[in-house]
């Protein structure tokens, strides 16, 4: 148990559906992240939120839409996805950037998404 | 362009022996390096880290070595135990606003009894 909770754990959706992934942390962190893990690829950073402000969008298609209403919650809204978007989506949180401290990111268990 | 690379997709080691996992990076701006361990159906969990100004950090059975001139780091696990079987990810931290972690592809470690 890392203190970062993701729901749902598994999701199957059609290409025309709209769904949302949820992430919650009560670790007092102010930075939250969405990562994507596809088979045989490194974890790919998608979005970064620092104190609820989006600071990074790693060229992610607009069919993925993040939302960070407060420092404890992060959503990933999905619409008109493609089968190649099937992957494990991981949320993480950390303390914001601080020099000199190796503050690791804590990950949730991920949502296994299958687009059919 | 992959900034963090783990060139061995898999590694098999006998129980009780030493496991050595390797990682190479290209970006000199990384200031911390981390190792994560991942079991199936779980998120990665933090294992050990090292600052770019150090060359070694040890925590129990786990030691991370950093060779900054070669842009190379390694994780040593000794003695290896069956519970160490997992996928190990090398990650490098860069501060650009918030901190960002750049991950390697992972190495699947199997410890054989």
């Amino acid at each position: 148990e890392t203190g970062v909770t993701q729901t749902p754990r598994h999701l199957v959706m059609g290409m025309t559906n709209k769904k949302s992934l949820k992430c919650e942390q009560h670790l007092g962190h102010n930075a939250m992240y969405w990562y994507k893990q596809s088979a045989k690829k490194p974890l790919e950073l998608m979005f970064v939120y620092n104190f609820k402000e989006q600071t990074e969008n790693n060229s992610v298609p607009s069919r993925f839409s993040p939302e960070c209403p407060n420092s404890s919650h992060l959503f990933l809204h999905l619409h008109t996805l493609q089968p190649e978007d099937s992957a494990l989506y991981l949320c993480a949180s950390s303390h914001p950037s601080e020099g000199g401290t190796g503050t690791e990111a804590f990950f949730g268990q991920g949502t296994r998404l299958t687009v059919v | 362009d992959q900034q963090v690379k783990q060139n061995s997709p898999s590694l098999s080691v006998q129980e009780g022996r030493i496991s050595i996992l390797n990682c190479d990076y290209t970006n000199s701006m990384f200031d911390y390096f981390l190792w994560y361990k991942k079991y199936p159906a779980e998120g990665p969990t933090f294992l050990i880290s090292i600052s770019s100004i150090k060359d070694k950090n040890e925590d129990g059975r786990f030691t991370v070595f950093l060779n900054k001139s070669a842009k190379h780091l390694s994780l040593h696990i000794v003695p290896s135990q069956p519970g160490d079987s997992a996928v190990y990810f090398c990650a490098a931290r860069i501060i650009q606003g918030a901190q960002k972690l750049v991950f390697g592809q992972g190495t699947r470690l199997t410890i054989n009894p």
Side-chain angles (χ1 to χ4, degrees):
Chain A
E1 178 59 53
T2 63
V4 180
T5 304
Q6 286 186 246
T7 53
R9 292 291 307 278
H10 301 273
L11 178 63
V12 179
M13 60 186 288
M15 288 189 283
T16 58
N17 291 160
K18 287 185 181 180
K19 295 285 184 185
S20 295
L21 310 185
K22 181 182 175 183
C23 177
E24 187 172 350
Q25 60 89 11
H26 296 287
L27 299 169
H29 294 163
N30 283 303
M32 296 189 77
Y33 313 80
W34 280 116
Y35 280 86
K36 175 184 177 182
Q37 187 186 14
S38 304
K40 298 182 181 176
K41 283 189 171 182
L43 275 72
E44 300 170 59
L45 180 63
M46 299 174 72
F47 300 105
V48 180
Y49 276 82
N50 199 18
F51 292 97
K52 300 187 296 177
E53 297 296 321
Q54 187 181 130
T55 58
E56 181 96 10
N57 175 342
N58 243 10
S59 304
V60 181
S62 59
R63 57 186 184 269
F64 295 91
S65 174
E67 179 191 359
C68 188
N70 55 61
S71 295
S72 299
H73 294 87
L74 185 66
F75 295 90
L76 187 63
H77 304 299
L78 316 170
H79 64 97
T80 59
L81 294 192
Q82 305 297 314
E84 58 264 30
D85 296 322
S86 298
L88 180 67
Y89 289 85
L90 290 159
C91 171
S93 70
S94 72
H95 289 292
S97 58
E98 293 288 344
T101 55
T103 51
E104 68 273 21
F106 292 81
F107 283 84
Q109 292 179 299
T111 296
R112 173 69 61 187
L113 174 68
T114 304
V115 181
V116 296
Chain B
D1 175 37
Q2 206 170 326
Q3 299 184 66
V4 178
K5 290 184 182 178
Q6 293 175 258
N7 291 316
S8 299
S10 63
L11 176 66
S12 189
V13 173
Q14 202 75 17
E15 182 180 357
R17 308 292 282 267
I18 184 170
S19 295
I20 301 176
L21 297 112
N22 294 302
C23 179
D24 297 296
Y25 64 95
T26 57
N27 192 336
S28 301
M29 299 299 291
F30 292 137
D31 70 337
Y32 263 88
F33 301 90
L34 305 91
W35 285 94
Y36 280 81
K37 177 179 178 180
K38 186 179 183 302
Y39 292 117
E42 294 184 14
T45 54
F46 171 73
L47 203 53
I48 191 170
S49 66
I50 187 168
S51 163
S52 59
I53 61 173
K54 301 278 177 91
D55 56 18
K56 178 182 174 182
N57 186 26
E58 191 172 349
D59 183 3
R61 296 186 298 113
F62 303 92
T63 303
V64 57
F65 295 93
L66 176 63
N67 182 333
K68 209 172 171 183
S69 60
K71 292 191 171 70
H72 177 85
L73 65 153
S74 60
L75 174 69
H76 292 213
I77 306 173
V78 56
S80 300
Q81 299 174 354
D84 297 329
S85 296
V87 177
Y88 289 78
F89 289 97
C90 169
R93 187 181 89 157
I94 189 166
I95 304 293
Q96 289 177 340
Q99 69 170 12
K100 290 168 40 177
L101 293 181
V102 180
F103 284 83
Q105 311 95 304
T107 296
R108 181 176 300 280
L109 176 64
T110 302
I111 306 301
N112 302 309

